[in-house]
Amino acid sequence: SHDIHITYGCEGEEPRLQICAPNTTTAVLSDLRPGMEYTFNLTAVLPNGICSKTSSTCIQTRTSLDELVSDLGLEHHLKNKLTLSKVLEIDGETLTDESIQSLKSLPWCFLRRLMMVNVTARSVRCASKQDMTSQNLDSLMDTLCNPQGHSNRVNPLDLITAVFLCSDGFLQQEMVLKMSMCQFSVPLLLPKCDTQQCTLMLWAMRDIVKKYKPHSLEDQRGFVEESIVLSELPMISFVRLGNSSLSKSHILNQLLSNPQQHHDTFVHRNMECGDTTRRISNGLVEISWYLPSGKRNIDIFSEPLAIANLRGDLRDFETQYAFLCHNSAAVFVFCDDFGSECKFLDSQHLKDHWFLIINSQSKSFNKDDFSRCVSELKLKPSNIIIKGLQMNDAELIRKLCLAISGILKGNMLKMSVEGMSAVAHEFGIQVDEDYIYCQRGKQKADEITGRISDIPSFKEKELPLQGTAWKQLAKLEKEECRMKMLGRKTLKFTGMSLQNRSSSSEHSRGLTTSQSLCPISSLQCPVPQRSASISSSG
């Protein structure tokens, strides 16, 4: 018998050794980093110390993204993106509502529910054996010993991030629109963990149109209605430094919900699979909007604002944090442990609009470290919210509301999502609208809308068959339905005559100037799958 000595390591790390017992054919190495190339040296060692010739091999470990998309059955779509037409296909699985048995069904269940604007779209999970059979003592003990040992669980944020990374621009637009209709937060900065890059989702949010009425316009009739990416609103950002015993997303949901109706805008740890360890969604920045209705008795804030939420520790995502600091009217930082350096919290750009939220009852909270950090940052007491022993969540939310309301009353920074694209370029953040097919389509759309000065005259000139001729035909068809027995042939003849005239007019006119610009065809991407999708849907 002999032992097998395995020496392994990657660039920048010290080699490690693992000894396998005799007659062992497998070895489990749990300390390998994803996306790294490791060199393995295997040597057989006899009891007398004689060693065999060393055998070497190199293996590239998969990234967290590769592993997750493989588990979800989406690995093919990282390059060949999912299209809207593919998602809207109706098949046998679409018509069934059976419990999900495998991880590969999760993305499709999520997409089907989302397309139906089903608010349970994020609450998808695989049916476990414990769901289908009664638990016994052994299964209960296994749960206690291994609480995270559910291989069929995926955090909803990981699922959403994976689906977005595997979708083309048009499907992303539809997903963001439907998520907004469900009152879900939507991706503002989409991370790609294997490259440490992120993308500003400007193009994806182009279809969102919101209507609201700020209290400053309560004396006027009507609402403000505009594209959300063009709305210049103050953005309040929420981030986390180190560990925090407070659930940032849960508090944000309480902040944005009326007392009579709670809504989970952001995914939090108490949601379905929300406590599952995130694999690829750290670094994701989500955005949602609070838009007042103009009714003082139910509005939480008097003016519209955007809420941004950075997932993960800000120390690991300095680019996203710097981007938020530059574009935000205020930044709220959740932190309990101030033992680390406070340099990450120093932001001269925000000055007075920088707040700390602390849970003094946390085990990691240290009063001396906290005092030192506050002194270094020269924070005002009004910019610190401490959740102590005598403060519950309701009181914490009340203080948050007061702080944000004070910010909205002052001279604050306002920024549109479209305006953030210039800042994104400065920080090396990609913008989805920079892709050539987006630019080409946007240029064609601008050519059409730029020619519209008076809507009625534009319709009369560019859409002639929807004018008087269409009205006359509709009137005759209505009369034909009402007078079935009297003058039927005459009316039918007149209607057919008008239809013939309309048809001949259509052929004689041909395409108008706006129609000849053909904005849909200009949006076609050089990728064959996407081109086929657009042509079939057009």
Side-chain angles (χ1 to χ4, degrees):
S1 63
H2 58 272
D3 295 336
I4 299 294
H5 288 205
I6 304 176
T7 305
Y8 60 98
C10 65
E11 185 178 354
E13 289 185 355
E14 291 293 330
R16 281 159 282 182
L17 173 66
Q18 179 162 322
I19 301 176
C20 298
N23 301 322
T24 301
T25 57
T26 60
V28 178
L29 306 176
S30 58
D31 55 353
L32 301 181
R33 292 163 54 193
M36 301 295 293
E37 184 177 281
Y38 281 86
T39 300
F40 293 86
N41 298 313
L42 284 74
T43 306
V45 181
L46 297 175
N48 59 7
I50 298 177
C51 300
S52 68
K53 184 179 179 180
T54 300
S55 176
S56 300
T57 185
C58 293
I59 297 177
Q60 178 83 24
T61 57
R62 293 196 301 176
T63 64
S64 299
L65 177 61
D66 291 334
E67 290 180 352
L68 182 62
V69 296
S70 177
D71 293 342
L72 296 175
L74 297 175
E75 62 272 20
H76 174 69
H77 296 293
L78 274 177
K79 291 185 177 180
N80 302 310
K81 303 297 185 181
L82 280 170
T83 62
L84 181 59
S85 59
K86 174 65 176 177
V87 172
L88 296 179
E89 287 180 359
I90 298 177
D91 53 22
E93 292 186 3
T94 308
L95 302 176
T96 60
D97 195 23
E98 298 178 357
S99 59
I100 303 171
Q101 302 298 328
S102 69
L103 288 177
K104 289 179 170 56
S105 300
L106 284 180
W108 302 104
C109 181
F110 165 73
L111 286 169
R112 284 198 300 269
R113 292 185 184 181
L114 187 61
M115 292 301 112
M116 295 187 291
V117 198
N118 188 333
V119 294
T120 66
R122 298 176 302 186
S123 302
V124 291
R125 64 188 293 266
C126 294
S128 63
K129 294 181 179 180
Q130 295 177 359
D131 296 333
M132 297 178 286
T133 60
S134 59
Q135 284 189 325
N136 53 32
L137 182 59
D138 291 337
S139 63
L140 287 174
M141 293 303 296
D142 181 64
T143 302
L144 290 174
C145 297
N146 189 18
Q148 290 291 340
H150 299 288
S151 59
N152 62 342
R153 291 166 60 96
V154 175
N155 191 291
L157 291 173
D158 284 341
L159 176 62
I160 293 171
T161 302
V163 173
F164 266 93
L165 290 173
C166 295
S167 303
D168 71 1
F170 299 102
L171 179 54
Q172 287 179 349
Q173 271 193 344
E174 190 69 14
M175 289 166 59
V176 167
L177 178 62
K178 295 297 174 65
M179 289 175 72
S180 176
M181 294 169 67
C182 292
Q183 297 184 41
F184 296 164
S185 59
V186 300
L188 176 67
L189 295 180
L190 184 70
K192 193 173 183 182
C193 61
D194 57 341
T195 61
Q196 300 301 315
Q197 288 283 335
C198 58
T199 304
L200 178 67
M201 306 298 285
L202 172 60
W203 169 266
M205 286 190 273
R206 281 286 183 186
D207 280 353
I208 302 179
V209 177
K210 295 289 186 179
K211 184 168 67 173
Y212 58 92
K213 186 172 186 178
H215 292 186
S216 57
L217 300 178
E218 63 181 350
D219 295 334
Q220 303 178 19
R221 299 183 62 183
F223 289 80
V224 176
E225 185 174 8
E226 60 183 344
S227 172
I228 201 65
V229 298
L230 302 178
S231 302
E232 292 193 349
L233 304 175
M235 185 169 72
I236 311 297
S237 296
F238 291 80
V239 299
R240 171 174 60 84
L241 175 64
N243 295 321
S244 175
S245 56
L246 299 175
S247 175
K248 172 163 50 74
S249 299
H250 183 58
I251 289 174
L252 286 179
N253 291 337
Q254 291 179 292
L255 177 69
L256 297 174
S257 298
N258 288 317
Q260 297 86 359
Q261 185 178 11
H262 178 80
H263 187 78
D264 287 326
T265 302
F266 296 94
V267 174
H268 59 90
R269 65 180 66 155
N270 291 323
M271 289 179 59
E272 188 82 58
C273 296
D275 58 338
T276 305
T277 302
R278 294 195 293 264
R279 296 161 65 180
I280 66 170
S281 56
N282 282 328
L284 170 69
V285 177
E286 301 167 277
I287 189 171
S288 185
W289 298 270
Y290 181 83
L291 305 172
S293 64
K295 300 178 181 179
R296 292 182 178 271
N297 59 330
I298 62 173
D299 285 341
I300 302 172
F301 302 109
S302 60
E303 299 296 321
L305 71 150
I307 300 291
N309 183 14
L310 171 62
R311 300 291 183 166
D313 191 339
L314 67 87
R315 292 176 296 185
D316 299 327
F317 306 101
E318 294 186 41
T319 300
Q320 288 93 321
Y321 176 59
F323 174 84
L324 292 177
C325 288
H326 195 89
N327 292 294
S328 299
V331 173
F332 288 78
V333 181
F334 285 71
C335 183
D336 291 344
D337 185 5
F338 294 89
S340 58
E341 297 182 15
C342 298
K343 64 178 182 179
F344 295 98
L345 303 178
D346 188 14
S347 178
Q348 296 297 325
H349 175 72
L350 292 171
K351 295 182 180 179
D352 295 335
H353 292 164
W354 195 90
F355 296 80
L356 271 179
I357 301 177
I358 304 151
N359 182 12
S360 62
Q361 302 304 305
S362 172
K363 294 181 180 179
S364 59
F365 177 77
N366 183 281
K367 185 177 179 180
D368 295 334
D369 291 337
F370 168 67
S371 299
R372 175 183 55 81
C373 187
V374 170
S375 299
E376 290 180 6
L377 297 174
K378 299 179 181 179
L379 283 177
K380 298 178 181 179
S382 58
N383 287 37
I384 302 173
I385 301 175
I386 301 178
K387 186 178 185 296
L389 184 62
Q390 303 299 322
M391 182 186 293
N392 58 15
D393 285 352
E395 182 65 16
L396 176 63
I397 299 302
R398 188 186 69 83
K399 287 196 171 187
L400 268 176
C401 284
L402 289 175
I404 295 175
S405 297
I407 296 168
L408 296 178
K409 292 177 182 178
N411 186 17
M412 58 199 162
L413 173 67
K414 293 185 178 181
M415 182 77 75
S416 66
V417 178
E418 187 176 64
M420 294 179 189
S421 60
V423 181
H425 291 138
E426 295 178 10
F427 287 99
I429 297 173
Q430 298 176 347
V431 181
D432 60 352
E433 205 166 81
D434 288 343
Y435 298 131
I436 184 63
Y437 69 93
C438 292
Q439 288 294 320
R440 190 164 55 236
K442 188 172 182 292
Q443 179 184 357
K444 293 293 185 181
D446 289 340
E447 288 181 26
I448 295 176
T449 56
R451 300 175 62 251
I452 302 176
S453 56
D454 181 66
I455 295 178
S457 60
F458 176 83
K459 285 184 175 181
E460 183 178 354
K461 180 181 178 181
E462 300 293 339
L463 304 171
L465 300 180
Q466 295 187 19
T468 305
W470 185 267
K471 290 181 181 179
Q472 292 178 357
L473 180 59
K475 183 178 179 180
L476 285 171
E477 289 179 345
K478 186 186 295 184
E479 290 296 327
E480 186 177 7
C481 291
R482 290 177 177 175
M483 303 173 64
K484 292 184 178 180
M485 302 302 296
L486 182 62
R488 179 180 178 89
K489 293 183 179 180
T490 304
L491 284 170
K492 185 175 182 180
F493 175 79
T494 306
M496 290 299 295
S497 176
L498 185 56
Q499 286 180 349
N500 291 334
R501 289 203 304 271
S502 297
S503 178
S504 61
S505 175
E506 179 181 356
H507 289 294
S508 62
R509 288 177 182 270
L511 292 176
T512 62
T513 305
S514 298
Q515 293 168 341
S516 64
L517 290 175
C518 194
I520 297 299
S521 62
S522 68
L523 292 176
Q524 290 185 351
C525 177
V527 180
Q529 290 83 353
R530 188 174 295 163
S531 298
S533 169
I534 298 171
S535 60
S536 63
S537 61

